[in-house]
Amino acid sequence: MQIDSPAIVCTARAHGEHGAVIRLLTKSDGLIAAYVHGSRSRKTKGVLTPGNLVAAELEARGEGRMARARLELETSRAALALDPLSLAMVEWLTMLVADTLPEGETFPDVYVRMNAMLALLDADAGALRVGEALARFEFALLADLGFQLDLGSCAVTGQLDDLIYVSPKSGRAVSRDAGAQYKERLLALPAFLLGSGVRPTGADIQGALGLTRHFILRDLLPTHRADRTIVARDRVDARLGKRF
Amino acid sequence: MSSPEIDALTQALSRLPGLGPRSARRAVLHLLKRRETALEPLRAALDAVDARMSTCSTCGNVDTNNPCHICTDPRRDDTLLAVVEDVADLWAMDRARLFSGRYHVLGGRLSALEGVGPEDLSVEQLLVRARDERVTEVVLAMNATMEGQTTLYYIAERLESMNVNVTTLAHGVPVGGELDYLDEGTIAQALRARQPLSR
């Protein structure tokens, strides 16, 4: 295996005294785990910061063998660590991608959206914009991994308008009338997710993130890692809540 | 071909950070050749440390006394408390002798990846110390890594309700550093934190 591709560093875990095992989201080959030699050196340490965009050269001796990576920093995202919200976002995004995408399958759209998301954080776009972008990113990720929410019509009546709930079981939209008696158990469906053109408020974004959180926890995160990973999402929710 | 005792010493040394089998062999040969000037003092120092070393119950520093020499030093400023990730960071900060306050060692940093949560660090002990009326400023001296900063913001949030100033170390161009060798993140932060030139 020989891959030369731009990639986003998702996670880096120390391995032995000098190395690290990293997970990269590559543009050409999706999520790849690789070994980096000398990762503790002053020069390389900064390159392995999650969220960094790198030029990756990956080489493995055979199929199924872990690749060795040589990385060159293209865009550093280290400065995002100096803003609590951006830091929480980067931590969550990189862990989410590393924990949910299967290795060895290509996801070019996820790469593009992830890069756009990081660029938005870099541009200091404000809590409303990054919150909305995160909700859209998570919706798209659910769809990419086969768990697309069906928000086109009411699951009960089939009606196309006045959809304000989502069933936490089926992931389908429910209209105001049909959901009235179950509203305690249904999830809120903010209008901006239906392409209404309405600019979302902080509460709308929190509603949308509540929706994606439910389905990510249920459908995407492996049970044994969910508790560990969702802590990062808790931080995002808390810090977004402070800024709305 | 060496004796089993020498092999055992070589193996023990090669497990130390920074040493491999080859450098461990060189160290062993050096110790054997200079028995009186190298081996004996090393053995005495190891014995002394082994017999008396303990973790300070106040700050988490490693010292031969408990409480450690920093916690018992009456010349230290009780109003300042610096929080560091590890003992190595405490020693690095104290080497410079620029900080006159007390320290608190967390014993690591938050890392979802490694499964390190707040309960694995000495956060609760820190909160107890920060509640002390004498403490007016808590300096969060964490590393400028993602995990270091995650820990920093977590502790800052926990300290929010307390009557102390919470400060952090500055980030930017290191003394003696050249711009050409800095990453964009550091340059961006240095620009953001630029200061008027004092004349």
Side-chain angles (χ1 to χ4, degrees):
Chain A
M1 180 185 82
Q2 172 94 36
I3 298 169
D4 290 338
S5 172
I8 297 165
V9 179
C10 289
T11 61
R13 189 195 290 265
H15 184 81
E17 201 177 330
H18 301 294
V21 174
I22 59 168
R23 275 164 190 266
L24 295 171
L25 178 62
T26 63
K27 192 174 184 181
S28 60
D29 293 76
L31 192 70
I32 295 179
Y35 176 78
V36 183
H37 184 69
S39 63
R40 309 282 182 87
S41 72
R42 277 182 142 189
K43 195 178 156 200
T44 318
K45 219 173 179 178
V47 178
L48 299 183
T49 302
N52 276 357
L53 184 65
V54 295
E57 278 180 52
L58 300 152
E59 202 175 340
R61 285 188 179 169
E63 274 306 306
R65 297 274 187 100
M66 181 173 280
R68 281 177 79 97
R70 269 194 301 275
L71 308 175
E72 198 167 314
L73 184 64
E74 298 232 313
T75 308
S76 169
R77 312 277 190 206
L80 293 178
L82 302 169
D83 171 60
L85 176 60
S86 301
L87 172 66
M89 286 265 194
V90 173
E91 189 191 21
W92 166 242
L93 283 168
T94 50
M95 287 186 78
L96 176 67
V97 165
D99 275 359
T100 58
L101 289 190
E103 284 179 22
E105 287 183 35
T106 55
F107 291 96
D109 293 345
V110 177
Y111 174 87
V112 170
R113 284 194 296 265
M114 177 93 159
N115 215 3
M117 190 72 215
L118 292 168
L120 195 65
L121 291 172
D122 239 355
D124 208 4
L128 278 177
R129 275 189 69 196
V130 295
E132 181 185 351
L134 177 65
R136 292 191 187 283
F137 178 88
E138 290 180 349
F139 265 96
L141 186 68
L142 280 161
D144 283 329
L145 295 174
F147 297 96
Q148 181 159 24
L149 305 188
D150 181 359
L151 307 179
S153 62
C154 175
V156 184
T157 62
Q159 78 183 75
L160 303 175
D161 56 357
D162 211 16
L163 304 170
I164 63 163
Y165 302 113
V166 173
S167 161
K169 282 190 180 169
S170 66
R172 294 190 61 190
V174 179
S175 68
R176 186 186 305 271
D177 293 341
Q181 57 179 320
Y182 309 105
K183 64 180 178 188
E184 307 301 327
R185 280 183 273 164
L186 296 173
L187 299 164
L189 172 56
F192 81 94
L193 289 175
L194 298 170
S196 61
V198 181
R199 294 196 74 178
T201 62
D204 291 336
I205 290 165
Q206 281 174 316
L209 289 172
L211 202 57
T212 49
R213 181 192 171 100
H214 171 82
F215 289 104
I216 285 172
L217 257 179
R218 193 189 74 174
D219 299 327
L220 296 191
L221 285 180
T223 323
H224 64 285
R225 285 191 198 153
D227 288 349
R228 185 201 72 179
T229 309
I230 208 66
V231 172
R233 176 57 188 275
D234 290 340
R235 279 197 272 272
V236 171
D237 293 343
R239 286 172 193 169
L240 268 177
K242 272 188 184 175
R243 298 202 183 178
F244 288 152
Chain B
M1 198 70 183
S2 51
S3 73
E5 290 81 3
I6 292 174
D7 277 348
L9 178 61
T10 309
Q11 272 188 23
L13 286 176
S14 69
R15 284 191 212 109
L16 297 178
L19 289 181
R22 192 172 298 204
S23 43
R25 263 198 306 274
R26 282 173 56 204
V28 168
L29 273 173
H30 178 84
L31 291 170
L32 294 176
K33 278 184 192 166
R34 292 171 178 77
R35 197 174 164 135
E36 279 178 19
T37 56
L39 183 62
E40 289 300 333
L42 178 66
R43 193 175 59 80
L46 286 173
D47 281 345
V49 167
D50 183 40
R52 296 183 54 198
M53 199 186 72
S54 62
T55 302
C56 176
S57 53
T58 309
C59 71
N61 188 15
V62 175
D63 199 22
T64 48
N65 297 305
N66 184 14
C68 70
H69 71 281
I70 295 176
C71 289
T72 50
D73 186 347
R75 291 166 300 175
R76 294 261 171 184
D77 186 350
D78 284 326
T79 63
L80 292 172
L81 183 62
V83 184
V84 293
E85 289 175 19
D86 242 314
V87 175
D89 301 326
L90 187 159
W91 290 356
M93 263 188 86
D94 214 48
R95 251 197 324 259
R97 302 264 177 211
L98 294 171
F99 183 72
S100 60
R102 310 271 181 201
Y103 290 95
H104 186 87
V105 181
L106 287 173
R109 58 198 168 186
L110 296 178
S111 169
L113 193 64
E114 310 279 348
V116 181
E119 64 284 353
D120 300 311
L121 308 178
S122 61
V123 177
E124 294 307 320
Q125 293 94 308
L126 167 66
L127 298 180
V128 171
R129 294 186 73 190
R131 270 188 210 108
D132 187 327
E133 282 175 2
R134 289 172 296 176
V135 177
T136 58
E137 182 178 347
V138 176
V139 184
L140 300 179
M142 276 71 178
N143 293 320
T145 58
M146 287 267 172
E147 288 167 340
Q149 296 299 297
T150 300
T151 313
L152 183 148
Y153 292 124
Y154 173 78
I155 291 173
E157 283 163 9
R158 297 289 307 268
L159 291 169
E160 231 167 36
S161 57
M162 293 186 193
N163 194 24
V164 286
N165 283 329
V166 181
T167 56
T168 70
L169 299 182
H171 302 287
V173 182
V175 176
E178 292 176 36
L179 289 179
D180 194 23
Y181 290 95
L182 297 182
D183 67 291
E184 301 95 316
T186 308
I187 294 176
Q189 177 53 24
L191 270 171
R192 223 177 290 165
R194 65 188 182 276
Q195 292 179 342
L197 207 59
S198 55
R199 297 177 188 201

